[in-house]
Structure formats: C-alpha cells, structure tokens
Amino acid sequence: MASAITASIASGDHLLVQAGTGTGKSLAYLAPALTVDGPVVISTATLALQSQLVEHDLPRLATAVEPVLGRRPTFAVLKGRHHYLCLARLENSTEDEPEDALFDVGDQPARGAPVKWLGEAGRLGKQVERLRDWAMETETGDRDELDPGVDDQAWRLVSMPARECVGANRCPYGGECFAEASRARAREADIVVTNHSLLAVDMLAGRHIVPPHKLLVVDEAHELADRVSSAAQAELTPESIDRAARRARPLLPPELAERLIEAGDLLAVGLAEAPAGRLTTGLPDPLQQACTLLDGATRAALEKIGDVKADDPDPVRKQQAKAVLDEISKTAQRLLEEADHDVAWVEKPDRPGQDRPGQQRRALVVAPLSVAGTLATHLYDDRTVVATSATLALGGRFDTVARALGLDLPTPPDRNGPAPVGTARTGTANPVAAGAAAAATPASGGPGWRSLDVGSPFDYPKQGILYVAAHLPRPAASGLPAAAGEELLALMGALGGRTLGLFSSRRAALQAAELVRARTDLTVLLQGEEALPLLVRRFREEKASSLFGVMSLWQGVDVPGDACQLVVIDRLPFPRPDEPLAAARAAAVDAAGGSGFASVSVPIAAVRLAQGVGRLIRSTGDRGVVAVLDSRLETARGYGAFLRQSLPPFWYTTRPDVARGALQRLNLS
C-alpha cells in the first residue's frame, strides 16, 4: 500500500485502496506522506480514528523517522470553528439570555409548559460560568480538551459557527481567536488531520479553510459522499425562523420583524398539514406560500441591516443576525426553484414523544440528488487523492464507489447497477484489483485513477464462519420474526452469550432483548438503556454479556478477543423505502431505464453489511461466527451473491448444525 501511494504521488494518479482491518493502513499512508514537499491532509469520518492518528500513530511515526529526516515531523488537528471557544461569543453570553441558551438547538418548549426550562437556564448558567473560568486557562479552546465536558446547549452559547463569524480583522478578539490559532498551526504542520465534514465544507466554500496541499488522504472513504451530501443539505424550521427574527429584531423596523414571524407561523401550519416524506410533486401550496414570504422578508431584512463594519456598535451580533437570515433566504430560494438536481422532503418524528416533552420537531429539508459531480469538480483539482477504507470494492469491484466519488470509469458504466455477479474478488496485495483498471485514464477525460485491494493479514476461512440461515422464511413485517427469534436463542445458547446483535430497527432490537432475557439467564445490554460508550465497555469487560443495538453499532465498535465471538444480523440492511434521498436516487435510475434497486439500494446494503460483519475479526487471534438471519443472502438471485462477494472470505455455510457446533466448541475452549 505504501509503495502504491508513493507511485501515485509521483504520477499524480488518484488511488483507491481497500485495506482490511489489521493491515496497518494508517502507517501505510502516513509514511509516504512525509516524502511530500508541503503539508499533507488526512481526513477521517470518525473521532475515534482521528484520536488514534493524533494520540498514537503520528507520535510513533514522528519518533521513528526523526533520525532519518534529521528533524521531528510536526502534525496538527484542524476542526470547524464551532469546536473552539469563541471569546467574543463568551463576552456576550449571560445567564439572562435563556432564549439563545436553551432554544438555539432548533426547538422551543410548547406554550403553557415553560416551568422546567427555568431550571435548565440556571443549570446552563453554571456551565457557562465554568466555561468562563476555563477560558482563562486553556491554550487551545478546543472543546475536546474540556474535562468534564458541558452539554451541547451550553457549548452553543460560547462557540461561533463559521457562517456567523465576522472574521479576525473585524472582531475585537481576532488576535486571541482560538480557531484562527488552530488554522495557523495547521499551515505550519507537515501533516494536518481533519474530518470529512470540514473537508466537505471546505470544498463547497471554495477550498480556503484547509491549508493548500498536494496530497489528500481520505480514510474511511466510504463515508465521504454522505458527509458531502449532509454539508450541502439545508432546512427550514419554524424555530429557526423565530430565532432569526429574535436576533434581527434590534436591527429591523417592527413591521419587518413581524413579517419574518408571520412566515414562520405559515411554515408551521404547512408542515403540520403535510405528511412526512419526499415531496414528489413539488411544494404543497402552504409550504410554497411560506417559502415565498420568507424569500421576500429575508431579502428585505438583509438589505435593511446592510454590511457589517468594523465600527459597528456590535459587529458580532450584527453578523450573527445576517448569517441566519442569509441561510434562510438561500434555502427558501432553493426550495422554490424545485431543481431536478435537488430532493425535498418533510421531516417529522417517527413517533410521538420522540423529541422533548411538548415538542415535535418538523422541518422542510432539501439536499442534492447526487454529489458525484461536486466531488468530480472540487475534490481532485490540484492535488493527488488517496481514498482508503475496509469497504471500497463492492462485489469485488471498485466501480460503484468510484462513481460515487466522482471518478469516471475507463469504460462506460453499467446502467443496471453493480458489477455482474461472479467477478473474482482479490484478497492478495496485487496492484490490479479484479474488475478494476490498474491505471485508468477515463474515456471522458476525467481524473486518472488506480485501484488496489491489499487484502488482510487475517486468515478469514480459518478464523471465522459466515452462516446464513437459509431455512428461515423471507423477512416481511418490521420487528423480529418468531422463527428468527428461535434461531437467535439457539445460537446464543450454544455459545453462552458473547454476542453482538446488529438489528435493522429499534423494535427488533428491543424484541430480541426481551426474548433472550425472558427465555435465558444471559445478560443482554440494550442500546438506549445506558450511554453507548458505557455499554461497549461493559460488553468488553463482562465476558458472558451480549450487546444489542441498531445502525450506530454497525461500525466503530471494536471488541477484539473472546468477548465477541458471535455477530448476529437480523436482516439485510437495505435503506428503508421512506429514506428520501435513497428513494429519490433509485427513482432517478429507474426513470433513466436502469434498476434503482440494483444501483442504489444494493450498494448501500453492501457497505453496511460489510461494516457490520467486520465487527467479528479484529485481531489475528479472534475466532467466531457471523450469523445472518435473512435467507435472501443465500436465495436471492443476483444481489445475494454480490453482497457475499463484498464480505471478507469467511468459511461459508447454510447449515444451522454446523454453526451451532462451532459455537459450542468455542464455548468449551
């Protein structure tokens, strides 16, 4: 992998690398990065990997190469502005501002039930006072260094989103700004570690946040397109409009502030009437009227407020008011355009009581149908990109991920979706991945790229079994089918616990936990009953325990050893039919004559399934069974085999007696 990255640095070709758990991929890209003249940027999707790089891998690497380079390489972490304490915001934060402190999360308490929030305001006031004391001590202002931490509401009161910042030149605290200091450190470092969200914002904003660089390494690259899509997403809520009106009120004539409030009320009515889900026939009349009124009111308000000047009485508050009004204005205009490249939907809680008591969050949301074009335009210009993950070669080929990342293919892509079933998958360090071009210069003249699957140091056929319960009925209704529940009991009984249960819904996870608790003496930890880090720690330390949960457990849970020797997946993780973006993308492929299910739903399921299955083998000494209680992985023609080819090459069986026998032997050992 290090050799391939070195070759890409020399040639300028971009590189996709699939590197399984245990390959040491972070050192494989960090070592060549030190040969590049100028800073190198590493982007990760998760805080866990970012911490691993900064706290472990980079210090070890710096010590190892110092004798070779004759100096110690430097590195820095670059985060968004809202991660840093803002002295200007802190100066303006007082305990008598409960509106901004409590309701800046996007929601307000229902009328008639304000009493509990007064206690919240007092609690937040104490947290803000502690933040004031910390501001006198901290050298970085980085929230991650605050121990113990504060909740999100308190932090929002003392931090500044990038869009609301007036800039160092116009801010009275510009010379002491923690965020500006972090950027200055990043400009001087050899290696800059950032995250996909900030990388996405940087691309969309014209690439002026991350320091100029010639090499970008995107780790956990399977997450990048979704993070860019999230960064390009916008929404309107009645609460955000009310908050904007309150912030702008001191700068506006009363009648203009009332127009904003009226528009927010009209939006609330429209959202209450509209069903949740994708808007396939345009904006309903009430929502269109609300957006039209918002467009006019925000434009008038912005014109009235005018430019932010250094000699304004309070430039910080003026910029905050302008920023929220500008965001609402642009979002309303975007929704009114109803462009083919955008998807709009109404978002509501899945069930009553999901939000805080007395609150029901409702939003009108718009997001791009695809970000492949954005990535093609902004990700690859003037730099070499190395994208790596344990899950890039779906069905044994890189085609699907290459498309999603905006890379053209050397031959016209198959409009019917994933690569044909039967394509050989690679498991060795061969520079040419099966089905992908070794050196691809696309027919359309797009960026050239190479692909590589370095395999894994794990002996998957000897370390693990992939068991598919092919005898079970095809899953239908949501929840845990009775037959799947009995299969789960048999498997867990054979092993005696030590099970990670990955479920498709909270309802299924709850049903499974209740079933196992009622029918056995096994300890089951259920996501949601305690904080997730605490549950994972208990699962790791209490050897006979099991942990059940939903999608957030499918990646990022690292429990090597015999604490986790059975991973159970209740059904294939296809996107839900009511997921607006996935449904819209599938519909677009169908309309173009292809298969939306094959092109959209199957690749999403492949990545999720590979991430979930990957929870089992985390070291060379691990042993265990992955049990998939969805017969379609064996019986579905076409996509069943494609999904299996996207997984590590475990020893495969559909016989329940073989799976139970292996678990019993593990239990005895």
Side-chain angles (χ1 to χ4, degrees), residues 486-497 499 516 520 522 566 660 663-664 667:
E486 294 300 321
E487 188 76 18
L488 174 66
L489 288 170
L491 294 168
M492 291 184 65
L495 182 62
T499 301
V516 175
T520 74
L522 299 174
L566 172 61
R660 290 195 299 269
L663 292 171
Q664 288 169 349
N667 192 19

Side-chain angles (χ1 to χ4, degrees), residues 459-496:
D459 190 346
Y460 281 109
K462 291 185 178 179
Q463 289 185 246
I465 294 174
L466 174 60
Y467 162 58
V468 178
H471 63 284
L472 294 180
R474 182 188 181 103
S478 62
L480 185 72
E486 294 300 321
E487 188 76 18
L488 174 66
L489 288 170
L491 294 168
M492 291 184 65
L495 182 62

